[in-house]
Amino acid sequence: MPKHATSSSSEGDEQHPIVDEKKRKRMISNRESARRSRMKREQHIKDLVGQITFLQNNNNEIVQKLNFISQQFMAVETENRILTTHRDELRNRLESLEIVSSYVCGYLKDAPQRNPQPWLLPHQSLPLMASTGFFQF
């Protein structure tokens, strides 16, 4: 049996370097895999940070456009309210003028016809003549 023990110890010595070599290669492979995994994770984080920055910039632009459009909308809405009020006032004036016009036109139908151009004298072609005693006091 001592021979067997010697032979097994010599076989163990011979296989031990092979096992150590396999462990060393596996350890190196694991380290390299872990390094690649870390690099891949870091790159993924950089990509995500880039996307965050891009989306934040887009969001800021959209917020600015929204604020600008909201201001324009409020200005147009205010102008629309003013114009609507002005329209209503003009409508009321027109209704009042139509009422007054109907009374005046009804009155004028019964009244004698007047000169449609009162600034023109009816007999402008006749010369004005004054007597000598007209301007005496």
Side-chain angles (χ1 to χ4, degrees):
M1 211 156 169
K3 217 177 187 185
H4 187 285
T6 310
S7 97
S8 80
S9 78
S10 69
E11 281 181 24
D13 288 343
E14 289 174 9
Q15 290 204 353
H16 189 342
I18 294 173
V19 170
D20 286 344
E21 183 64 23
K22 284 182 179 178
K23 283 183 179 178
R24 188 181 68 77
K25 283 183 180 179
R26 188 170 52 242
M27 190 169 47
I28 290 171
S29 174
N30 286 345
R31 285 181 183 166
E32 184 62 26
S33 176
R35 185 186 66 79
R36 284 192 309 267
S37 178
R38 283 190 304 272
M39 289 176 62
K40 191 174 180 181
R41 186 178 64 233
E42 287 174 10
Q43 185 61 44
H44 184 65
I45 289 171
K46 286 179 185 178
D47 292 343
L48 291 175
V49 168
Q51 282 182 346
I52 289 170
T53 302
F54 175 77
L55 293 173
Q56 283 175 335
N57 290 338
N58 278 354
N59 191 39
N60 289 337
E61 288 177 21
I62 290 170
V63 166
Q64 288 175 352
K65 287 178 183 178
L66 179 64
N67 288 337
F68 179 73
I69 290 170
S70 294
Q71 289 173 353
Q72 284 183 326
F73 173 77
M74 290 173 62
V76 168
E77 192 175 47
T78 301
E79 183 180 5
N80 189 34
R81 270 188 261 126
I82 291 168
L83 290 174
T84 301
T85 303
H86 191 231
R87 181 204 62 205
D88 293 341
E89 288 174 6
L90 290 174
R91 211 178 255 164
N92 289 338
R93 285 183 187 178
L94 180 62
E95 288 174 5
S96 297
L97 287 173
E98 286 174 345
I99 292 170
V100 170
S101 175
S102 69
Y103 288 127
V104 170
C105 288
Y107 171 75
L108 289 179
K109 286 180 185 175
D110 298 335
Q113 289 294 328
R114 299 191 187 261
N115 184 3
Q117 299 172 334
W119 57 90
L120 296 177
L121 293 175
H123 303 289
Q124 273 187 329
S125 60
L126 298 175
L128 292 175
M129 296 175 54
S131 66
T132 55
F134 184 74
F135 291 108
Q136 291 179 359
F137 295 73

